[in-house]
Amino acid sequence: MKEYPTHNKKVINWVRKMARMCQPDKIIWIDGSEEQKNILEKESAASDELIPLNQEKLPGCLLHRTKPDDVARTEHLTFICTRRKHDAGPTNNWMSPRAAYKKAKAILKGAMKGRTMYVIPFSMGPVGSPFSKIGVELTDSRYVVLNMLIMTRVGEAVLRHLEKEDEFTKCLHSKAELDINKRLILHFPEDNTIWSVGSGYGGNVLLGKKCLSLRIASYLARCEHWFAEHMLIMGIEEPNGHIEYIAAAFPSACGKTNLAMLVPPEGLKVKGYRIWTVGDDITWMRIDSDGSLWAINPETGFFGVAPGTNLKTNLNMVETIKKNTIYTNVLFKPDGTVWWEGANGEIPSSGIDWRGKPWKPGMTDENGKPVLGAHPNSRFTTPITNCPTASFRLEQHHGVPISAIIFGGRRTHLTPLVFESFNWQHGVFVGATMASELTAAQFGKIGQVRRDPMAMLPFCGYNMAEYFRHWLEMGKKMTKAPKIFAVNWFRTDEQEKFLWPGFGENLRVIEWILDRCNNKVEAIKTPIGYIPLITDIDMTGLHLPRGHLEKLLSIDKNEWLQELKDIKKFFKQFKKDLPEQLWQEYEDLAARLKESSEKV
Ligand code: OXD
Ligand code: MN
């Protein structure tokens, strides 16, 4: 390939400038070809960056290990760098662009000496769709290149598009020394730029994902009047062939990926539902000429959590990750395949753990704690097209129409299985007051409630009060806005046992949601929203103990009054920036609760 496979001066000048700073030995442009991918895979294997897996059992699959202190997104090292601190808001880490560039430059200067700089032109969304955004990522990591080839649309078509359109997100990544003390994930929304240095972990370095498609895109979406959200998109096909699409936001560890490709439960199978997966993590939505909301998934792959993935929790994902998948930080088995805690089949009798050390089941560390074969946040990167439920509309430039937006969280108490908001503004309040309880997989005290509005707390690229205002404004622009619902699969009984079986059974709740969207069923008005009549949730084939469904749908006034206090505290941090309408919703909820009886 000739030195610059583009005429775009802006791209060329920027690549040159970054190369002057990082001083790579060579520059290679990624063209998206199979041939180039094969070369990179061979080189990665030779340099131990990636281990080829058993090609008979797992064709096209590779294994990678990150450094033990580089296994998750580092939120405390992630910054929004706007000129005014206020524009980043109280929920983001902020650094001034000048200070941020200076600090990162000191680390990036000469960081690629002895290495190759790869130039990856990529598109989030189908190339040329009105939804889509172009990025160019520079990286000194082959692992990043190979992952980007799975997660985004890479190559010639993108470069051709860049000849016509000048705007692109400038994404720079260097592993540098992979030193946590010299790690920075910097976003410059005003410059349409991302700089990530010192990490090799997917969420920090696949810059098309969280950095571009959520943090930068949320900023662009506000300016250009669309939505960039941390949501899955799934289609539910009825036997008559009609498909309804929903978008759903859940914080980490709430089963978003599993929901996106659920298997209909036995009892509902006779109805002939079929599920279509459009995306499991990120949704971009625009108001179309019909006044309703249409959505795409800007990605082309899943970057999913391995532990707990098995035939029962996610049959479709087990099928998906059998080929052309990159595994990160899982256990390497003697037969050249992989394993993780909660995988199918027998626990292997030995292997190499995620740190690269010999492993046997039952091993404990110096504190007597079990040594895990796979890191709890070990991952797979895999193409959506491998998925048996992959939607046939993934490449459609106008996306899919969204009938319902769902907000979910993990709450052992308080939130009923499902409720519907009264209207768009109330729905925005429901999203803005979303919260989830921390699990063992997350940092913090187990059970502690973390407020995570629209599941965007770590991903909103600007002041969250303005983000709420944007949601409210968008509601006014739509003539056929989707209905907004809240769900909670995680309510427990007095013995702390889950009341709802979850997984495929969640389709029963989605069925009610769609019935509400199509005005097929009535609902009960409560202080927090509309809840289903018990008889409107189809329980065919699911035998819950007597009274469970009532408990799942009950609303405890005192718990909600307590919740109001926490919401108030959360809202107050936004000071006078918080939209008045959200305080109004708060007051209205408080008044409705006060008027109601103890149990609703
Ligand atoms: C993810 C996350 O990896 O939300 O998708 O943390
Ligand atoms: Mn996510």
Side-chain angles (χ1 to χ4, degrees):
M1 191 179 268
K2 55 187 183 301
E3 201 189 355
Y4 296 113
T6 174
H7 302 295
N8 186 320
K9 283 269 160 26
K10 199 166 151 188
V11 178
I12 294 173
N13 290 341
W14 171 69
V15 172
R16 279 191 181 142
K17 191 169 166 195
M18 294 302 104
R20 273 199 299 278
M21 174 169 70
C22 301
Q23 299 166 31
D25 285 8
K26 302 201 271 212
I27 300 179
I28 293 182
W29 291 69
I30 299 301
D31 59 14
S33 68
E34 205 52 34
E35 199 187 339
Q36 197 182 42
K37 180 174 152 235
N38 291 341
I39 296 172
L40 286 166
E41 285 181 357
K42 285 211 179 80
E43 288 174 359
S44 310
S47 66
D48 280 347
E49 212 172 335
L50 286 151
I51 303 167
L53 293 169
N54 181 327
Q55 293 302 298
E56 260 162 45
K57 294 187 175 162
L58 294 169
C61 294
L62 302 158
L63 169 67
H64 174 75
R65 295 189 194 106
T66 61
K67 276 185 70 182
D69 67 358
D70 193 17
V71 289
R73 284 184 290 103
T74 34
E75 285 177 24
H76 67 292
L77 302 173
T78 300
F79 291 84
I80 301 297
C81 310
T82 43
R83 282 192 287 277
R84 295 185 330 151
K85 182 170 187 204
H86 179 260
D87 292 341
T91 59
N92 278 314
N93 299 317
W94 174 83
M95 221 191 281
S96 78
R98 186 200 285 255
Y101 282 128
K102 189 168 170 208
K103 211 166 164 187
K105 263 184 200 160
I107 308 168
L108 284 161
K109 200 155 180 281
M112 295 190 188
K113 269 188 194 155
R115 298 182 188 165
T116 300
M117 175 194 265
Y118 299 97
V119 183
I120 317 169
F122 65 95
S123 175
M124 300 313 298
V127 181
S129 153
F131 280 92
S132 303
K133 296 285 175 200
I134 302 285
V136 180
E137 177 160 353
L138 310 180
T139 180
D140 53 5
S141 157
R142 291 188 198 91
Y143 170 75
V144 167
V145 178
L146 292 169
N147 274 272
M148 287 292 282
L149 288 171
I150 296 175
M151 297 302 293
T152 73
R153 295 158 173 92
V154 173
E156 279 297 312
V158 180
L159 282 179
R160 295 293 74 81
H161 191 75
L162 264 181
E163 306 290 334
K164 290 182 269 165
E165 199 188 287
D166 224 18
E167 202 45 46
F168 67 99
T169 305
K170 301 185 274 297
C171 307
L172 172 64
H173 165 251
S174 172
K175 297 182 283 189
E177 294 161 54
L178 290 174
D179 177 353
I180 189 159
N181 298 310
K182 293 184 189 161
R183 184 172 301 159
L184 290 168
I185 321 297
L186 306 172
H187 304 75
F188 304 89
E190 291 148 354
D191 300 343
N192 202 359
T193 295
I194 302 159
W195 280 16
S196 162
V197 60
S199 173
Y201 170 75
N204 291 334
V205 301
L206 307 180
L207 300 185
K209 195 172 177 61
K210 303 295 189 184
C211 301
L212 192 163
S213 291
L214 288 176
R215 299 198 189 95
I216 294 290
S218 61
Y219 171 87
L220 295 174
R222 180 185 51 155
C223 304
E224 299 167 3
H225 311 291
W226 51 282
F227 284 118
E229 299 300 327
H230 190 201
M231 292 179 176
L232 64 91
I233 312 170
M234 67 192 282
I236 300 99
E237 180 176 332
E238 294 170 24
N240 64 10
H242 176 70
I243 309 177
E244 299 250 8
Y245 294 88
I246 59 170
F250 292 83
S252 308
C254 289
K256 213 151 103 245
T257 303
N258 300 346
L259 182 63
M261 53 194 78
L262 70 74
V263 178
E266 265 322 305
L268 291 197
K269 276 212 176 118
V270 288
K271 287 187 170 169
Y273 283 117
R274 185 169 177 171
I275 300 302
W276 295 103
T277 307
V278 181
D280 78 326
D281 196 37
I282 298 174
T283 294
W284 286 358
M285 297 186 285
R286 280 179 179 267
I287 305 173
D288 210 329
S289 49
D290 64 352
S292 61
L293 214 47
W294 288 65
I296 65 154
N297 166 17
E299 303 187 285
T300 51
F302 304 123
F303 179 62
V305 177
T309 305
N310 59 48
L311 289 168
K312 186 171 169 286
T313 58
N314 198 336
L315 179 137
N316 286 311
M317 190 56 96
V318 171
E319 205 47 50
T320 305
I321 58 182
K322 284 185 177 162
K323 59 178 185 192
N324 302 332
T325 297
I326 301 176
Y327 292 93
T328 304
N329 294 338
V330 296
L331 180 95
F332 186 39
K333 285 175 33 179
D335 68 350
T337 63
V338 290
W339 181 84
W340 46 82
E341 279 68 21
N344 298 309
E346 280 177 27
I347 300 176
S349 55
S350 67
I352 308 288
D353 74 8
W354 67 274
R355 291 183 178 86
K357 297 200 174 129
W359 178 91
K360 281 199 185 317
M363 274 172 74
T364 50
D365 66 13
E366 57 283 5
N367 302 317
K369 282 207 183 135
V371 174
L372 297 175
H375 186 273
N377 192 34
S378 54
R379 299 273 175 156
F380 45 74
T381 319
T382 193
I384 299 187
T385 47
N386 277 3
C387 182
T389 58
S391 167
F392 54 90
R393 295 178 78 164
L394 291 173
E395 291 305 321
Q396 289 190 2
H397 282 207
H398 53 275
V400 297
I402 298 296
S403 303
I405 290 177
I406 301 174
F407 293 123
R410 176 185 284 269
R411 302 298 297 262
T412 49
H413 297 91
L414 190 83
T415 316
L417 180 62
V418 59
F419 68 91
E420 178 191 333
S421 63
F422 296 122
N423 50 47
W424 182 267
Q425 179 173 303
H426 178 231
V428 175
F429 174 81
V430 170
T433 54
M434 254 175 81
S436 212
E437 283 160 30
L438 299 181
T439 67
Q442 290 150 315
F443 187 77
K445 209 168 130 230
I446 296 177
Q448 189 187 331
V449 173
R450 161 163 137 151
R451 304 225 81 87
D452 191 352
M454 281 88 167
M456 281 289 277
L457 189 74
F459 307 120
C460 184
Y462 61 103
N463 191 324
M464 215 152 201
E466 293 308 319
Y467 169 78
F468 298 147
R469 198 180 311 285
H470 173 58
W471 265 82
L472 294 165
E473 291 301 317
M474 288 288 284
K476 289 187 206 143
K477 293 192 203 321
M478 281 180 273
T479 49
K480 281 186 270 165
K483 285 184 182 248
I484 301 180
F485 297 81
V487 298
N488 176 24
W489 317 133
F490 301 95
R491 212 162 177 179
T492 54
D493 64 11
E494 294 75 19
Q495 280 77 48
E496 296 186 12
K497 287 228 172 69
F498 289 121
L499 287 161
W500 182 250
F503 301 106
E505 308 292 345
N506 294 337
L507 183 59
R508 299 173 193 276
V509 175
I510 293 172
E511 195 182 28
W512 180 78
I513 288 175
L514 292 176
D515 280 349
R516 286 294 292 165
C517 293
N518 294 310
N519 298 316
K520 285 194 186 156
V521 289
E522 296 293 318
I524 303 167
K525 191 168 183 186
T526 76
I528 64 161
Y530 296 112
I531 61 164
L533 279 95
I534 294 237
T535 45
D536 282 336
I537 298 197
D538 188 343
M539 297 293 279
T540 313
L542 173 61
H543 304 289
L544 289 190
R546 189 192 288 271
H548 260 45
L549 200 49
E550 286 81 352
K551 268 193 213 156
L552 278 159
L553 291 170
S554 69
I555 294 158
D556 185 312
K557 174 175 169 172
N558 290 326
E559 280 178 5
W560 276 93
L561 287 173
Q562 201 52 39
E563 176 78 353
L564 274 177
K565 289 190 193 152
D566 202 46
I567 293 175
K568 188 176 207 167
K569 203 163 115 212
F570 178 70
F571 274 0
K572 274 193 159 174
Q573 69 181 311
F574 299 105
K575 304 203 171 94
K576 61 178 183 356
D577 295 325
L578 193 88
E580 189 46 43
Q581 295 95 314
L582 293 187
W583 277 125
Q584 189 56 54
E585 288 296 334
Y586 171 90
E587 296 299 344
D588 291 353
L589 173 60
R592 288 193 300 268
L593 282 168
K594 281 198 190 105
E595 279 163 20
S596 68
S597 52
E598 288 301 305
K599 294 264 182 216
V600 187

